[in-house]
Amino acid sequence: MALVRVALDARSYDIIIEEGALDRAAAHLAQYARKDRLVVVTDANVARAQLPRLQASLRGAGIALEPIILPAGEQTKSWRHLEQLLDALLALEIERGDHVVALGGGVIGDLVGFAASILKRGCHFIQVPTTLLAQVDSSVGGKTAINAKAGKNLIGSFYQPSLVLIDPSTLDSLPPRETRAGYAEVVKYGLIDDPDFFAWCEAEGYRLLDGDSGARAYAIERSVQAKAAIVADDERETSGRRALLNLGHTFGHALEADTGFSDLLLHGEGVAAGMALAFRYSARLGLCPAADAERVTAHLKSVGLPHNLASAHVKADGAALVAHMLHDKKMAAGTLPFLLARGIGQTFLSKDVALDDVAAFLNEDRAAA
């Protein structure tokens, strides 16, 4: 078992990484049960694959599991399903001192966290992420949200969980495409400020994708250590350091918007293509060696992740994609900060990027593909 602490004073919490943790969940969750029950929110797919394991562990400890099962997919991060979830939690008479368990990927974690932040002005919640993307990224750090017509994650709050319980064995039930999408967020940590970890990804990442438990555990622990350190230093993106975690997301969210936030392009796939675009744009500006941009593109392509507009199934031109970016929640005083790079492991925040130049770059990049 590995333990990573997110140090946020009174809001500090632990991240537990343990193979098979779901089968021993009662040992970790019993202290959070009230009236010998825990309410668990999940989606239909995870309910079939993982809920019985959690239920068996809790039952063995005399804890009743009250499930709320929502539809699977990005569309569940919506006003409609937020209302459905809140009504269900109120019907179960959730109190401020109760803990709601989010069992699932990033959609369930984001939705449950946001619901917990506003239910009765705030109850508690626990993250039990079951996808690689959620385990290495979205379950840690307290960003919660739903999507709006105008864009992704535009309605939400910063609200930290009480615990993150990660069981890498849940990844065994995922389709390979889901694991690859999560792997993009693993690669991101190397590209931000850890070139040695990116080199590890180039050499060993295929083992993680093939289900090697050692590679999987190493990558998860290394990733959450990196995120925990950044979140502890800049919980609400006030200093700018946490913004580094958005590498690839400004481009990526625009690509997701163009594909209708659908299964045509998963979030992690959009991030992968976004990171490749960010590095190639940095090279175009003369900030980043072309060889580094080529390494990033080559690695993402080698593991089957989108690396350009065509492989991301994006048909819009540069101007249309930039129009999507104008809805980005990071917009400030009419300026959109961009995550660019001076090289692998040298990501930085730029606040003087000309959006018309970004549009021109996207058109050039499509033509060059």
Side-chain angles (χ1 to χ4, degrees):
M1 185 180 79
L3 184 69
V4 178
R5 184 76 169 167
V6 183
L8 292 169
D9 298 323
R11 297 179 308 286
S12 297
Y13 55 95
D14 289 330
I15 304 165
I16 297 171
I17 308 164
E18 180 184 8
E19 190 82 15
L22 211 55
D23 301 309
R24 297 181 290 278
H28 302 295
L29 301 182
Q31 63 180 304
Y32 301 104
R34 295 185 68 181
K35 300 177 183 177
D36 293 324
R37 73 156 190 180
L38 277 171
V39 174
V40 178
V41 184
T42 190
D43 68 39
N45 292 341
V46 179
R48 286 190 294 270
Q50 308 297 346
L51 191 60
R53 298 174 62 191
L54 178 59
Q55 192 163 32
S57 178
L58 294 178
R59 186 186 296 122
I63 301 169
L65 184 153
E66 296 269 13
I68 298 173
I69 301 174
L70 299 172
E74 186 73 24
Q75 292 75 17
T76 299
K77 281 177 58 171
S78 66
W79 281 116
R80 181 165 70 91
H81 289 103
L82 175 64
E83 181 180 19
Q84 178 186 344
L85 174 56
L86 289 169
D87 284 343
L89 292 171
L90 289 169
L92 289 170
E93 299 180 348
I94 291 293
E95 300 175 0
R96 286 183 178 179
D98 288 339
H99 286 76
V100 180
V101 178
L103 175 69
V107 168
I108 289 296
D110 282 3
L111 177 67
V112 174
F114 185 41
S117 76
I118 59 177
L119 184 70
K120 298 185 176 179
R121 297 191 176 94
C123 64
H124 305 293
F125 81 111
I126 295 166
Q127 291 272 21
V128 184
T130 59
T131 66
L132 183 60
L133 189 148
Q135 290 177 357
V136 302
D137 185 67
S138 63
S139 68
V140 179
K143 280 189 174 180
T144 74
I146 59 172
N147 300 332
K149 290 181 180 178
K152 191 177 176 73
N153 296 332
L154 294 181
I155 303 159
S157 61
F158 288 95
Y159 198 68
Q160 301 296 339
S162 299
L163 174 73
V164 180
L165 181 63
I166 297 174
D167 180 353
S169 75
T170 61
L171 305 182
D172 293 335
S173 67
L174 291 182
R177 183 187 177 195
E178 288 279 356
T179 304
R180 284 197 303 272
Y183 178 69
E185 297 281 4
V186 173
V187 172
K188 179 186 74 176
Y189 292 107
L191 296 179
I192 289 172
D193 63 1
D194 193 345
D196 290 341
F197 186 47
F198 179 72
W200 180 90
C201 290
E202 289 178 301
E204 306 291 343
Y206 74 94
R207 293 174 50 221
L208 182 159
L209 294 171
D210 287 344
D212 181 271
S213 59
R216 196 160 62 184
Y218 175 79
I220 293 170
E221 183 177 2
R222 187 88 173 248
S223 297
V224 298
Q225 285 174 338
K227 183 158 190 182
I230 289 175
V231 169
D233 184 58
D234 183 20
E235 181 182 5
R236 293 174 175 259
E237 288 188 18
T238 53
S239 74
R241 188 177 178 211
R242 182 165 182 169
L244 297 178
L245 294 169
N246 294 318
L247 175 64
H249 287 61
T250 300
F251 283 109
H253 284 172
L255 307 187
E256 287 184 84
D258 181 67
T259 51
F261 298 107
S262 68
D263 288 344
L264 192 62
L265 184 70
L266 302 180
H267 173 65
E269 293 173 335
V271 170
M275 292 189 299
L277 289 167
F279 268 79
R280 291 203 294 276
Y281 185 56
S282 298
R284 179 182 182 271
L285 295 176
L287 299 169
C288 171
D292 281 10
E294 290 165 7
R295 276 180 67 191
V296 174
T297 296
H299 180 58
L300 295 172
K301 185 177 181 181
S302 74
V303 297
L305 281 166
H307 54 282
N308 56 22
L309 300 183
S311 59
H313 309 290
V314 171
K315 301 185 183 302
D317 64 10
L321 292 172
V322 164
H324 287 307
M325 294 177 189
L326 294 176
H327 295 292
D328 195 293
K329 58 186 176 297
K330 296 182 292 297
M331 285 286 290
T335 299
L336 178 59
F338 268 78
L339 273 301
L340 302 177
R342 296 186 178 91
I344 290 170
Q346 299 178 66
T347 296
F348 70 99
L349 186 67
S350 174
K351 297 183 178 180
D352 58 0
V353 172
L355 291 180
D356 57 347
D357 189 55
V358 173
F361 157 72
L362 289 168
N363 290 331
E364 293 166 7
D365 199 73
R366 181 191 295 281

